[in-house]
């Protein structure tokens, strides 16, 4: 199934908002995920038919998603209620696009920053920081840690994990140095812009550190183990009915 990246990002935020109020062990996370995607597509003006969404979900998780579309409808009302009908989500993508010409970002840097934004939805950052702070963090990561070559589309984890862990964080110290000594010209330009923009630099650095933690965990993540744990949890509580 193909859909807009922004719809996927909105769905991820919905899931995080839902689970700030609900324990995952009392839900069928596969149904919540499917419902969040269905609702996000409607909100982002790229709607998908409910039967099509359920059919696609069943092709992925047949043991956890029933063919009864009413289950998704019921979950949709619950999702909307738990989020107090606050369904509009602002994303960092627009800020990234607006800052590209101002900061003279190359196409590779924009692609890498875009991937970083995609990855940050796997953390709690969308609930903690404003979209413009996330966008600035992604730009800094793309400019400071960009490898000399590589494909930056999709996830940024493969190309950034090592660079950010093996001494890259030292480069972030330059962001706190407003005297302008030391950093390369492009980073210096970024520092000057940050100083004039009054963006929360502390917040940007905290976001970057959270991203480092994500990539460290990512290298040890086992999708198979995660699926097995979720499967046992859902079936034990009969949440797949």
């Amino acid at each position: 199934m193909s859909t807009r990246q922004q719809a996927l990002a909105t769905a991820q935020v919905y899931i995080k908002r839902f689970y700030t109020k609900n324990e995952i062990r009392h839900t069928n996370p596969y149904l919540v995920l499917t419902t969040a995607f269905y609702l996000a597509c409607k909100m982002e003006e790229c709607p998908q038919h409910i039967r099509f969404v359920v059919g696609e979900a069943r092709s992925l998780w047949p043991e956890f998603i029933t063919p009864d579309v009413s289950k998704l409808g019921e979950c949709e009302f619950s999702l909307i209620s738990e989020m107090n009908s606050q369904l509009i989500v602002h994303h960092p993508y627009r800020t990234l696009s607006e800052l590209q010409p101002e900061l003279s970002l190359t196409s590779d840097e924009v692609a890498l920053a875009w991937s970083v934004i995609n990855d940050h939805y796997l953390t709690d950052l969308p609930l903690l920081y404003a979209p413009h702070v996330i966008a600035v963090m992604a730009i800094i990561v793309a400019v400071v840690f960009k490898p000399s070559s590589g494909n930056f589309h999709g996830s940024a984890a493969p190309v950034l994990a090592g660079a950010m862990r093996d001494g890259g964080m030292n480069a972030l110290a330059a962001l706190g140095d407003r005297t302008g000594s030391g950093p390369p010209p492009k980073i210096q330009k970024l520092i000057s812009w940050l100083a004039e923009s009054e963006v929360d630099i502390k917040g940007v650095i905290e976001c970057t550190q959270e991203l480092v933690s994500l990539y460290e965990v990512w290298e040890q993540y086992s999708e198979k183990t995660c699926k097995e744990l979720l499967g046992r949890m859902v079936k034990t509580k009969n949440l797949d009915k």
Side-chain angles (χ1 to χ4, degrees), residues 14 26 69 175 196 240:
Y14 285 173
H26 294 154
V69 297
L175 297 179
E196 295 174 1
D240 54 334

Side-chain angles (χ1 to χ4, degrees), residues 129-151:
Y129 294 93
H132 73 276
V133 173
I134 302 297
V136 171
M137 176 273 292
I139 290 171
I140 291 173
V141 168
V143 171
V144 175
F145 303 109
K146 184 184 70 173
S148 57
S149 62
N151 178 11

